[in-house]
Amino acid sequence: MTPPGFVAVAAREVAWIWRDKVAVILVLVVPLLAFTLLTATFSNAVVRNLRVDVVDEDRTPTSTLFVQAIQSAPGVEVAERSTDLDGAMHAVRAGNAIATVYLPRNLERDVMGGRRPQVVIFYNKQYFSPGNIAGNALQAAVSAAAKELAGRSASTAAATPGPLVVEQYVLSNPALNYAQFLLRAILPTVLHVLVALTGGYAVGSEFSSRSKDAWLASAGGSPVLALTGKLAPYFAIYAVMAVVGLFIIHGLYGVPFRGDALMVGAAGVLLIIAYLSVGALFQLVTRNLATGLSLTSIVCSPAFGFAGVGFPVLAMSPFAQGWGALLPLRWYIQVLFDQAARGVPVADSARPFTVLSSLALVYFGLGWLRLRAIARVPAPPVREEPEEPAARSGVSSAFAAEYGRVLRDRGVFSLVVVGPILYGALYPQPYVGQLIRDIPIAVVDDDGSEVSRRLIETLNAHEAVEVALRPTTLAEAQAALGRREVFGILSIPAGTERDILKGDEARLPAFVDSAYFLLYNRTLQGLLESAGTVGADLISRGARSDGSLYRASLSSTSPVEILSQPLFNPTGGYGSYVVPAAFVLILQQTLLLGAATVGGITYERGGAAARRRRGGMAAVIGQALAHLMLALPGFALYLIVLPRLYGFSAEGRLLDMLALAVPFILSVSFLGQFVGAWFPRRETALLMIIAFSLPLFFLVGVAWPPEAIPELLRRVSFALPSTSGIDGLVRLNQMGASLADVAHDWHRLWVLAAVYALLAVLATRLSTAGRSR
């Protein structure tokens, strides 16, 4: 027999893992399945075939030139040819196109007359990433066609100043691989949720189905040995899973690793220790497995937003920055991106590594102190759960029984009613600033001319960037970029003003860090627009008299004026993009958890007989109607109240949204009842559903374009209510679509509701067949 101590505790835990099917699934099956799902989702690293609409009101050889340029543009395909803008807007609202190019009537005549007609690109900014990708591709295609037109015409304009051209040098991720950027952040995020849930499940089971006293006895009464020995097997398993995640990114995807592998490995070890301790701490504080897991979910599920991957930390509110600083994931991601993506010196990652180490130590220390306090007092008597009373059959009776059951059970009530409130308060916090402003950049001015001074002044006046450093050499600027003091560098070479005055092209090298895509895009926008403003100002000053020379100069170099017009989210607010879709997913998650958990509670208290009573068609419908009434306040909070409170775009018609929300909520309820029919314990559904919440978000087609998701996986995703629910409700509320525009989503949700209602009845009968109390 193994003497009490660390080894005895660890051996006891390994034996329990082997016996407990849920533990085996949680630590082995779920991580590998989640990694496989995400790897398949992002298997198409390059986004192609984004559907666009072209409105050609001119129908001349000149407009045909633009259409052909759009058709040959990488990443987009002309899927619609509307006759007017009304038809094009309908196509965008209904999801048949992500963007529209408008070629006006008399385009060719105005080009020939030097009047610079406007070609307008409308792109769906509500779908942030695919909208931006399509908008950029169309901008490049239209610009190329305009340049070809300019080359065909013989310019007779007087000599004008040369243009300022920003030469882009992309750092960290030169291929601008969006999948590489997302996978590097998402795999650790999924892992940290699983680690925390596992730590919580391992410790919390001692207060539910196992014995806290036996646990401490196997450690010889030492709380520190009890805690370390219990968590050690999970640490070993998840360390292997972390290696698997790194292999997927750097082996399977061939993404270059640029920094110190030892520091990244040490940071991964600290991340696992920290979140095992966090999960354990919540259980030791609550001593209730379901409640502790719920708190773990509330802290860990929104952590991706606070980590600064999608929306940068420098643009967050003070509260979001403070809360994020308490999350180990925030600091691990910084170490990971600095070393794996940016390749900065180890010394530049010392601060986040130190903070991560401190948090791991603090959370483990708090768990140890709490366990030591618990060990000193006897365990409270186990409260017998009342047996489920036999309810009368019928829809109304099932409705009343389920409604009361949810309100009486603290765990389910916190999931279905309290959970949406807490998520609604916490989840949007990183994004309330909406836009990124005053990104620090460095300018190396080797010209020292009036033009360079004017350019620096224009950069400082732009809302996106701020000239924070004026180093004398590029080496100094690059060192500052490695230390995160700046996120972009603009070099103004000697002779820039001379080249402009000679009428030559003046090139300005710009070095922009693309480790974080939103920072990269916003920084580059500030540089390009500032250079364009100065260049246009120089041309206008060089063209005297009544401005005709200025117009002639512009028409000779750019015969059309290209306007890019974002739709539905015109300010480009990141919160307006990500939060509405996430709210619908949270609605699904909380209701799904609640409905499935009730099934487990019923079996715990009443056995197979109580579960069978829940499985009749009348009972299933009545229970779903109760869930509908309980979920509607969350629906109103997320789609009506909070968007207006946080300033997100919201223009949907209430009745249309309600008409779509009803089949969405019912289908989620029926799915939850189907899932809950298989689990004998309430916490099992909690663990499984929370673990897959983040991977499912990327299957919806909001953050990652549906055109880039493998066809089979995309079809499978429609089995989840969130896929159609998010698409339909976002289009209704944020894009002003009508119910007719999202009829395909509405029909699909009703089909899902019917299918899952039948499956819930069948699952109950199958799972209780041959069982008795």
Side-chain angles (χ1 to χ4, degrees):
M1 181 178 178
T2 306
F6 174 87
V7 175
V9 178
R12 175 178 180 269
E13 200 65 24
V14 170
W16 178 75
I17 295 172
W18 186 254
R19 293 193 307 270
D20 191 275
K21 293 180 181 179
V22 175
V24 172
I25 293 172
L26 185 62
V27 299
L28 294 176
V29 178
V30 172
L32 295 175
L33 193 57
F35 284 0
T36 302
L37 182 63
L38 287 168
T39 302
T41 301
F42 298 115
S43 58
N44 296 324
V46 179
V47 178
R48 303 182 185 279
N49 302 324
L50 292 173
R51 299 185 299 274
V52 300
D53 195 338
V54 175
V55 179
D56 182 5
E57 292 189 343
D58 194 43
R59 299 188 179 278
T60 61
T62 298
S63 66
T64 301
L65 175 66
F66 284 96
V67 175
Q68 290 172 344
I70 295 166
Q71 287 173 330
S72 61
V76 298
E77 66 170 354
V78 179
E80 300 279 332
R81 294 293 300 270
S82 297
T83 57
D84 54 32
L85 277 177
D86 286 341
M89 291 303 100
H90 171 76
V92 175
R93 286 192 174 93
N96 298 324
I98 192 71
T100 293
V101 178
Y102 175 66
L103 303 173
R105 188 175 286 105
N106 301 322
L107 173 70
E108 184 172 77
R109 184 197 67 186
D110 292 342
V111 166
M112 297 302 178
R115 286 185 284 272
R116 298 191 73 233
Q118 291 182 343
V119 173
V120 187
I121 300 169
F122 299 94
Y123 61 101
N124 189 349
K125 193 74 169 181
Q126 185 60 45
Y127 287 75
F128 205 83
S129 298
N132 283 337
I133 293 171
N136 292 336
L138 293 174
Q139 177 85 26
V142 174
S143 297
K147 189 173 183 180
E148 183 177 344
L149 277 178
R152 292 179 182 179
S153 62
S155 176
T156 58
T160 59
L164 278 172
V165 178
V166 176
E167 288 186 326
Q168 304 173 31
Y169 294 89
V170 182
L171 307 177
S172 303
N173 183 4
L176 296 179
N177 187 322
Y178 195 72
Q180 166 188 326
F181 156 71
L182 279 175
L183 264 182
R184 182 178 272 129
I186 293 170
L187 292 185
T189 303
V190 170
L191 193 67
H192 102 281
V193 174
L194 292 172
V195 169
L197 290 175
T198 300
Y201 182 55
V203 172
S205 63
E206 300 289 358
F207 300 99
S208 59
S209 58
R210 299 164 75 187
S211 169
K212 180 263 294 183
D213 292 335
W215 171 29
L216 289 169
S218 67
S222 170
V224 68
L225 291 180
L227 192 57
T228 55
K230 173 174 280 293
L231 299 181
Y234 305 105
F235 170 81
I237 293 171
Y238 281 116
V240 174
M241 292 299 172
V243 173
V244 171
L246 290 173
F247 170 77
I248 290 173
I249 297 170
H250 301 290
L252 188 61
Y253 274 82
V255 177
F257 187 94
R258 305 178 186 278
D260 188 271
L262 184 61
M263 172 168 269
V264 171
V269 166
L270 292 170
L271 181 78
I272 296 171
I273 293 173
Y275 279 104
L276 283 173
S277 303
V278 167
L281 178 60
F282 280 124
Q283 295 297 329
L284 292 168
V285 169
T286 62
R287 284 191 274 184
N288 181 283
L289 183 56
T291 304
L293 290 176
S294 298
L295 290 174
T296 303
S297 171
I298 290 171
V299 170
C300 293
S301 294
F304 182 76
F306 291 94
V309 179
F311 196 71
V313 174
L314 63 87
M316 293 181 189
S317 66
F319 169 80
Q321 291 186 10
W323 179 259
L326 298 175
L327 302 176
L329 180 69
R330 152 86 172 82
W331 304 103
Y332 172 76
I333 289 292
Q334 183 169 332
V335 173
L336 179 67
F337 272 61
D338 279 355
Q339 294 301 315
R342 303 174 73 232
V344 304
V346 170
D348 290 343
S349 295
R351 178 176 175 269
F353 187 85
T354 302
V355 177
L356 177 60
S357 304
S358 301
L359 290 175
L361 182 62
V362 166
Y363 291 133
F364 179 82
L366 290 174
W368 165 65
L369 290 173
R370 179 60 182 161
L371 180 58
R372 189 177 68 170
I374 291 174
R376 293 174 177 173
V377 297
V382 178
R383 184 169 61 90
E384 290 292 331
E385 298 286 358
E387 186 171 322
E388 282 283 319
R392 290 176 296 176
S393 60
V395 173
S396 59
S397 298
F399 172 90
E402 187 77 357
Y403 199 91
R405 188 181 292 116
V406 172
L407 295 181
R408 287 191 302 269
D409 188 280
R410 184 178 63 180
V412 181
F413 181 80
S414 65
L415 287 171
V416 178
V417 180
V418 180
I421 298 173
L422 295 178
Y423 275 115
L426 184 61
Y427 189 90
Q429 293 306 315
Y431 316 111
V432 292
Q434 290 274 33
L435 294 177
I436 309 172
R437 295 181 172 88
D438 300 328
I439 301 170
I441 63 170
V443 175
V444 181
D445 183 5
D446 290 326
D447 196 38
S449 63
E450 177 63 26
V451 169
S452 66
R453 285 190 290 272
R454 192 181 308 165
L455 179 57
I456 293 169
E457 291 172 357
T458 306
L459 286 167
N460 273 322
H462 198 285
E463 68 169 2
V465 296
E466 175 187 25
V467 180
L469 290 177
R470 294 282 303 276
T472 56
T473 65
L474 274 176
E476 293 177 37
Q478 289 169 346
L481 189 141
R483 296 189 299 268
R484 293 173 176 261
E485 295 174 9
V486 296
F487 294 91
I489 303 168
L490 183 68
S491 174
I492 307 177
T496 295
E497 184 176 67
R498 180 196 61 211
D499 291 341
I500 291 174
L501 294 178
K502 288 170 58 180
D504 295 336
E505 198 173 63
R507 297 185 173 273
L508 306 176
F511 304 87
V512 186
D513 189 351
S514 64
Y516 300 90
F517 265 42
L518 200 58
L519 271 177
Y520 163 77
N521 287 325
R522 189 73 166 143
T523 303
L524 190 59
Q525 177 189 1
L527 296 175
L528 292 172
E529 291 180 356
S530 297
T533 299
V534 172
D537 186 51
L538 289 171
I539 293 176
S540 65
R541 293 188 183 191
R544 304 296 182 184
S545 70
D546 62 353
S548 59
L549 290 178
Y550 174 49
R551 290 193 296 270
S553 299
L554 280 178
S555 63
S556 66
T557 57
S558 178
V560 298
E561 182 181 0
I562 304 170
L563 297 181
S564 288
Q565 180 63 48
L567 298 173
F568 314 123
N569 182 10
T571 62
Y574 195 81
S576 294
Y577 144 66
V578 73
V579 174
F583 273 167
V584 181
L585 187 65
I586 292 170
L587 273 177
Q588 172 176 284
Q589 177 173 307
T590 53
L591 179 57
L592 191 61
L593 287 169
T597 300
V598 170
I601 292 172
T602 302
Y603 190 83
E604 286 178 0
R605 298 178 180 175
R611 176 169 284 176
R612 276 195 297 271
R613 289 194 294 270
R614 289 179 58 84
M617 181 56 74
V620 167
I621 293 174
Q623 288 151 191
L625 292 176
H627 298 159
L628 175 65
M629 295 303 296
L630 289 162
L632 282 177
F635 158 78
L637 178 69
Y638 281 175
L639 276 75
I640 301 172
V641 178
L642 290 183
R644 289 161 176 81
L645 181 64
Y646 288 121
F648 303 149
S649 56
E651 53 182 275
R653 289 167 286 192
L654 179 59
L655 290 180
D656 283 356
M657 289 193 296
L658 184 61
L660 191 73
V662 168
F664 170 69
I665 294 172
L666 290 177
S667 60
V668 173
S669 170
F670 292 135
L671 175 59
Q673 293 183 62
F674 166 67
V675 171
W678 299 103
F679 297 135
R681 305 202 306 261
R682 71 178 76 192
E683 67 272 4
T684 308
L686 204 67
L687 292 166
M688 300 298 109
I689 294 170
I690 293 172
F692 284 105
S693 60
L694 185 61
L696 294 181
F697 181 71
F698 292 94
L699 285 177
V700 172
V702 175
W704 187 240
E707 291 85 355
I709 299 174
E711 181 64 24
L712 177 61
L713 201 57
R714 178 65 176 165
R715 290 182 181 275
V716 171
S717 73
F718 285 114
L720 296 168
S722 54
T723 301
S724 299
I726 289 176
D727 182 73
L729 288 171
V730 167
R731 293 186 186 281
L732 288 172
N733 202 25
Q734 274 65 50
M735 298 166 58
S738 66
L739 189 61
D741 291 328
V742 296
H744 54 290
D745 292 317
W746 188 76
H747 292 145
R748 195 178 291 122
L749 287 170
W750 277 116
V751 170
L752 287 178
V755 170
Y756 282 126
L758 292 173
L759 288 177
V761 174
L762 293 174
T764 304
R765 292 178 181 176
L766 290 173
S767 65
T768 58
R771 293 187 181 183
S772 61
R773 173 80 175 149

